[in-house]
């Protein structure tokens, strides 16, 4: 039986089964079992809903035997690298839309993309997207080809860079769109 809580569980609301990492092991529990409570959590991104999961003596079955810490770390690194790559794709799309807008929106009789200040914003966005993309590629490569220590470093690097660069792309896009 498991007890505990997780504040940020992606997509848990539609799950039939939950994998729970606890005490250096992985457990499987029925998401609809007694003692399992799944509630929506407040989130800015409606495309990837977050949930709070609370377990109160929920029935669970341990998967495998022995210390699963390395397997858990590997799975978390792979999931994190995938989420970073997803974020890079979203940021690249934001850049593309901002660039298209800068070509179409006119001010003082010419496209705003012809103004140096707007060009600087777009270049800053491009730099953030491409550097985050490189970090994501490294983290994704490391999932398949690197030793665990390098895999963990590559994933941490990609996550750290993306956590700063990708929101900056969104904030800069707001400036290009004129606050819209």
């Amino acid at each position: 039986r498991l007890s505990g809580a997780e504040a940020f569980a992606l997509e848990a609301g539609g799950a039939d089964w939950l994998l729970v990492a606890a005490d250096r092991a992985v457990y499987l529990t029925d998401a609809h079992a007694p003692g399992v409570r799944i509630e929506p959590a407040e989130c800015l991104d409606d495309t990837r809903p977050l949930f709070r999961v609370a377990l109160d003596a929920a029935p669970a079955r341990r998967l495998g035997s022995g210390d699963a810490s390395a397997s858990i770390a590997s799975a978390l690194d792979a999931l994190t690298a995938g989420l970073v790559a997803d974020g890079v794709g979203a940021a690249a799309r934001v850049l593309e839309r901002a660039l298209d807008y800068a070509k179409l929106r006119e001010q003082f009789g010419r496209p705003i993309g012809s103004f140096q200040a707007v060009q600087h914003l777009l270049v800053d966005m491009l730099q953030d997207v491409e550097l985050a993309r490189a970090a994501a590629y490294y983290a994704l490569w490391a999932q398949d080809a690197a030793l665990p220590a390098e895999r963990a470093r590559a994933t941490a690097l990609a996550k750290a860079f993306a956590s700063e660069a990708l929101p900056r792309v969104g904030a800069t896009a707001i400036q290009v769109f004129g606050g819209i």
Side-chain angles (χ1 to χ4, degrees):
R1 300 219 172 251
L2 295 176
S3 295
E6 175 59 49
F8 303 110
L10 287 174
E11 307 288 348
D16 290 323
W17 296 95
L18 300 173
L19 290 174
V20 179
D23 299 324
R24 294 185 283 206
V26 178
Y27 298 86
L28 180 68
T29 187
D30 184 337
H32 309 291
V36 177
R37 191 173 72 248
I38 301 173
E39 300 172 340
E42 194 171 315
C43 180
L44 294 176
D45 182 359
D46 290 336
T47 66
R48 184 165 289 130
L50 285 176
F51 293 85
R52 284 185 299 277
V53 176
L55 305 175
D56 184 16
R61 182 179 62 167
R62 184 180 175 142
L63 302 177
S65 61
D67 187 344
S69 298
S71 296
I72 294 167
S74 178
L76 290 175
D77 284 343
L79 290 168
T80 300
L83 287 171
V84 168
D86 181 70
V88 168
R93 180 68 175 127
V94 167
L95 170 60
E96 183 181 313
R97 293 194 65 185
L99 182 59
D100 290 344
Y101 182 79
K103 291 176 184 176
L104 294 175
R105 172 75 164 97
E106 290 192 5
Q107 188 67 35
F108 307 114
R110 53 191 244 207
I112 64 168
S114 67
F115 296 114
Q116 190 174 25
V118 174
Q119 292 170 359
H120 283 250
L121 293 174
L122 292 167
V123 167
D124 289 345
M125 291 171 67
L126 176 63
Q127 179 179 343
D128 280 338
V129 168
E130 291 305 317
L131 290 173
R133 186 186 319 270
Y137 283 169
Y138 175 47
L140 292 168
W141 166 85
Q143 303 314 303
D144 290 331
L147 295 173
E150 184 178 356
R151 182 192 67 228
R153 275 193 305 275
T155 303
L157 175 121
K159 179 181 175 184
F161 193 85
S163 294
E164 290 187 14
L166 302 182
R168 194 167 45 233
V169 169
T172 304
I174 291 170
Q175 298 302 311
V176 174
F177 284 109
I180 298 172

